[in-house]
Amino acid sequence: MDFQLSSLLKPSALADADTARELLALNEETQEYGLELTQEDALALAETRRIALEASGRVEFGTPVIEKIIRTFSRSRYLYQYDYAPVLHELLEAFFQLKNETEDRFSDDDLIDFLFDCFEYRYRGSLEMFRGREIEQLRGILLFGAEDEENEDGEDPDDE
């Protein structure tokens, strides 16, 4: 019998039901903001979490990241019931991508707070920040504190 510890640590589709149950329990907290996950939403988020973990080569015990994302973002003034689950999917994927790209230099809480601040204040609820080139810009802000390489005049500061 070939036994591999890594196969035990991988999240499985069977665990998705447990994750979904934990996410549904958060509805009691998020209902005050008019946000609620359905059973289907919760199962889909559990699957997105599992896929994001596998794609990033990460292991997570329990559901602390997705729970913190839900608790943090449910208070956003830009989040509504109709886009609640889609935003959570994007956030999960962005979180694990940024966690890898910043080589774990930031705690989970700090990264989630950073994403919330960007979503709420910098991008005013736009999901574009979680896609393509924007994720690279977020990585740069996190690592270097700079939005881009140009100053206000549009000139590259290294050319001076």
Side-chain angles (χ1 to χ4, degrees), residues 55-124:
S56 64
R58 296 187 163 278
V59 175
E60 182 182 40
F61 298 99
T63 56
V65 168
I66 192 168
E67 288 181 22
K68 172 79 177 182
I69 288 172
I70 288 171
R71 285 186 173 106
T72 300
F73 279 80
S74 64
R75 60 188 164 93
S76 171
R77 62 184 158 192
Y78 298 108
L79 200 54
Y80 302 97
Q81 181 61 43
Y82 72 87
D83 66 352
Y84 182 44
V87 167
L88 293 176
H89 286 279
E90 294 281 346
L91 287 166
L92 272 174
E93 292 173 358
F95 173 86
F96 288 114
Q97 182 179 352
L98 281 170
K99 192 73 170 166
N100 271 358
E101 290 185 10
T102 58
E103 300 172 348
D104 294 309
R105 293 181 189 167
F106 303 94
S107 72
D108 292 352
D109 288 349
D110 287 345
L111 184 53
I112 292 168
D113 290 343
F114 170 78
L115 289 172
F116 180 78
D117 286 345
C118 287
F119 182 81
E120 195 70 9
Y121 305 110
R122 181 180 304 257
Y123 295 100
R124 299 175 198 249

Side-chain angles (χ1 to χ4, degrees), residues 6 12 20 32 36 45 50 62-63 71 82 86 110 121 133-134 139-140 145 148 155:
S6 63
S12 69
E32 76 178 86
E36 186 174 3
L45 280 167
R50 178 174 42 84
T63 56
R71 285 186 173 106
Y82 72 87
D110 287 345
Y121 305 110
R133 190 177 75 79
E134 298 302 319
R139 179 183 170 274
D148 59 34
E155 296 175 8

Side-chain angles (χ1 to χ4, degrees), residues 10-16 50 54:
K10 281 182 146 178
S12 69
L14 297 175
D16 287 355
R50 178 174 42 84
E54 289 173 0

